[in-house]
Amino acid sequence: MTSDHTTTHSIPSYLNANDMGAWGIYLEQIDRVAPYLGPLSRWLETLKRPKRSLIVDIPIELDNGTIAHFEGYRVQHNTSRGPGKGGVRFHQDVCLSEVMALAGWMSIKNAAVNVPFGGAKGGIRIDPRKYSSKELERVTRRYTSEIGVIIGPSKDIPAPDVNTNAQTMAWMMDTYSMNEGSTTTGVVTGKPIALGGSLGRVEATGRGVFVVACEAAKDLGLGIPESKVAVQGFGNVGGTAARLFHEAGAKVVAIQDHTGTIYNENGIDIHSLLDHVENNAGVMGFPEARAISNEDFWGVPTDFMIPAALENQITIHNAGQIKAKILIEGANGPTTPEADDILIEKGIYVVPDVLSNAGGVTVSYFEWVQDFSSFFWTEEEINHRLERLMKDAYRVISDVAKHHGVTLRTAAFIVACTRILESRQVRGLYP
Ligand code: NAD
């Protein structure tokens, strides 16, 4: 056999090796874990390749009668432990390498908190703010129909992500059900309650962020009341996390969203800010705080910093400014590996995305289970199970971190990669 037959390449031919984007970051994180996997590292390459990547064309008729085309993606990164699971994002910058990375992080996240799913993610390259609700419905339905061949309640279950919500999931569920010929509630999670959605799902990710923040605070001997918090992103995740901190007596001193940054050293009334954002589409102009520059946000003195907007927000350019004691990643992939090194050097305790924002997929798991059994739980039951699962996951991962003397991120990857690769190993290779 020549070496050509045995050589493998981690960079797929369809990506530009010099512009790997978020996928390059994901690969670097996987490489950092390799030394801790022992004999399982033989299977590591499997995590460096998405199992299946689908790119679809989405043609729709706009309200003005013209035709527009959008590019859509669904990537199933790994399904060794169960069906693919991960959100669908509508954003003008969505591209294949980003969706691949987000799908990879879903594999890691689902295994890190031990829910029985693989990892997947989807997206459409569209700025949803430029289109009417009817146009977005047509985009969503055509996208669902195009990816219908690979999704399903036991194959791959989409959920909301940036700029998608329960209504988007309702359109997806309806389109899939129409094509199947029967109502299939379990094909998506994050649905409206009327369609088999779960109580507590909307705020689950932000609630999970708050639960792990409390655990991390305990470990560092910090109290939540009177602590200072800065949050980037005031949507589903950031808005909920900010509200829970506020209700627990913390001072949320700085908030940044796509409209700018606001600051009040005495703490912002989050309930008033939520009302303001409802009526003004952003935090800017909130009368009880002053505007500061987006750059200054990162240097605000706080106990907790919560990036909960998009990936690649904490880089070598701003990591040095961060003064927080604990950084809780609400967003997926907000910190680049180089920035991560700077934070470690500064002694900042980083709770990684694959652990801290797993509350959403955890309650999605509960929703999927409830749909299968057609038996629905109370919100109290859901929040209780969520809290228990997140606390358990935090403890398992922090024990591994202490055992190996590594960061929580590396520990979460060790736990997750071990679980995934053990499944891979016992399943064996087909054929
Ligand atoms: P969202 O659309 O509800 O909110 C996004 C927020 O980010 C908005 O406040 C928006 O103004 C802000 N934002 C956008 N661009 C920004 C920029 N350039 N600078 C500053 N702020 C900006 O989205 P979400 O559901 O809250 O998701 C936020 C992050 O959390 C994403 O990374 C997503 O992948 C991740 N996440 C979401 C869930 C979930 O259940 N929704 C679960 C896990 C992870």
Side-chain angles (χ1 to χ4, degrees):
M1 193 188 278
T2 70
S3 61
D4 281 355
H5 289 105
T6 52
T7 304
T8 56
H9 301 281
S10 291
I11 300 169
S13 60
Y14 45 82
L15 286 191
N16 178 350
N18 300 319
D19 184 20
M20 300 268 284
W23 179 247
I25 294 175
Y26 165 80
L27 289 182
E28 210 172 315
Q29 291 170 339
I30 292 291
D31 282 334
R32 288 185 180 200
V33 181
Y36 302 97
L37 296 177
L40 284 174
S41 59
R42 167 169 185 252
W43 297 94
L44 195 63
E45 190 67 21
T46 199
L47 293 173
K48 295 185 175 183
R49 294 155 182 274
K51 174 186 174 64
R52 199 177 271 136
S53 304
L54 182 61
I55 305 179
V56 296
D57 175 40
I58 306 163
I60 64 147
E61 187 174 337
L62 298 178
D63 294 345
N64 66 12
T66 59
I67 307 293
H69 288 256
F70 302 95
E71 199 162 280
Y73 310 88
R74 186 73 190 169
V75 173
Q76 292 167 351
H77 173 262
N78 190 285
T79 56
S80 294
R81 302 179 69 250
K85 184 90 192 81
V88 174
R89 172 177 292 197
F90 288 1
H91 196 272
Q92 60 276 17
D93 298 332
V94 164
C95 61
L96 180 61
S97 58
E98 178 186 79
V99 180
M100 284 165 61
L102 292 166
W105 285 319
M106 285 309 299
S107 298
I108 300 296
K109 184 185 307 180
N110 293 334
V113 298
N114 214 5
V115 292
F117 292 129
K121 199 84 181 189
I124 302 178
R125 194 173 171 86
I126 182 173
D127 181 352
R129 292 189 179 90
K130 293 189 176 149
Y131 297 91
S132 71
S133 172
K134 279 284 155 207
E135 288 167 335
L136 292 175
E137 177 174 351
R138 289 196 283 276
V139 165
T140 305
R141 287 186 181 279
R142 183 61 188 256
Y143 168 72
T144 308
S145 202
E146 293 295 339
I147 65 164
V149 284
I150 61 167
I151 63 170
S154 55
K155 291 187 191 172
D156 178 4
I157 307 116
D161 190 66
V162 176
N163 293 328
T164 56
N165 55 28
Q167 177 61 73
T168 323
M169 294 306 112
W171 291 329
M172 289 190 77
M173 176 273 192
D174 183 67
T175 306
Y176 183 86
S177 298
M178 288 295 130
N179 287 345
E180 285 294 296
S182 62
T183 295
T184 313
T185 54
V187 65
V188 288
T189 59
K191 296 179 293 295
I193 301 294
L195 291 182
S198 177
L199 294 168
R201 172 62 185 91
V202 173
E203 59 171 42
T205 307
R207 185 172 288 280
V209 164
F210 180 68
V211 170
V212 294
C214 293
E215 292 304 294
K218 257 189 241 164
D219 280 357
L220 267 62
L222 281 175
I224 300 288
E226 299 301 316
S227 65
K228 289 190 173 176
V229 187
V231 186
Q232 186 202 35
F234 198 65
N236 179 303
V237 181
T240 304
R243 181 174 58 76
L244 293 173
F245 269 101
H246 175 69
E247 288 171 357
K251 287 183 182 168
V252 183
V253 293
I255 307 249
Q256 181 183 108
D257 75 357
H258 70 284
T259 63
T261 305
I262 58 168
Y263 178 74
N264 181 340
E265 65 178 340
N266 298 317
I268 295 164
D269 181 339
I270 299 299
H271 294 118
S272 306
L273 183 61
L274 285 165
D275 287 344
H276 173 86
V277 169
E278 181 89 23
N279 299 318
N280 296 276
V283 299
M284 284 314 277
F286 182 62
E288 294 153 40
R290 66 184 169 88
I292 59 169
S293 75
N294 284 344
E295 291 72 35
D296 286 348
F297 169 81
W298 302 104
V300 165
T302 58
D303 299 295
F304 298 91
M305 167 73 76
I306 306 176
L310 296 172
E311 61 267 20
N312 289 343
Q313 296 301 299
I314 303 174
T315 65
I316 44 169
H317 303 297
N318 57 9
Q321 294 171 43
I322 295 179
K323 298 192 180 76
K325 298 187 181 77
I326 302 181
L327 188 123
I328 314 272
E329 294 183 334
N332 286 310
T335 312
T336 64
E338 297 77 16
D340 215 11
D341 290 340
I342 296 172
L343 299 178
I344 295 165
E345 218 163 276
K346 286 172 67 103
I348 296 173
Y349 191 70
V350 178
V351 187
D353 50 3
V354 291
L355 169 61
S356 49
N357 72 25
V361 76
T362 299
V363 175
S364 275
Y365 165 51
F366 298 162
E367 179 175 335
W368 182 73
V369 169
Q370 292 171 82
D371 285 340
F372 265 120
S373 57
S374 295
F375 179 74
F376 293 89
W377 312 342
T378 65
E379 188 159 4
E380 197 186 5
E381 231 172 323
I382 285 155
N383 288 343
H384 176 71
R385 286 178 197 261
L386 169 67
E387 197 170 313
R388 202 178 60 199
L389 192 144
M390 294 294 296
K391 282 183 177 172
D392 286 351
Y394 177 87
R395 285 297 146 208
V396 167
I397 290 167
S398 65
D399 285 352
V400 169
K402 280 178 205 134
H403 175 76
H404 287 292
V406 295
T407 62
L408 284 183
R409 190 186 312 281
T410 302
F413 271 70
I414 294 172
V415 169
C417 293
T418 302
R419 286 181 178 149
I420 298 169
L421 298 181
E422 274 173 352
S423 317
R424 172 76 282 163
Q425 179 162 272
V426 288
R427 284 180 67 156
L429 283 182
Y430 174 85

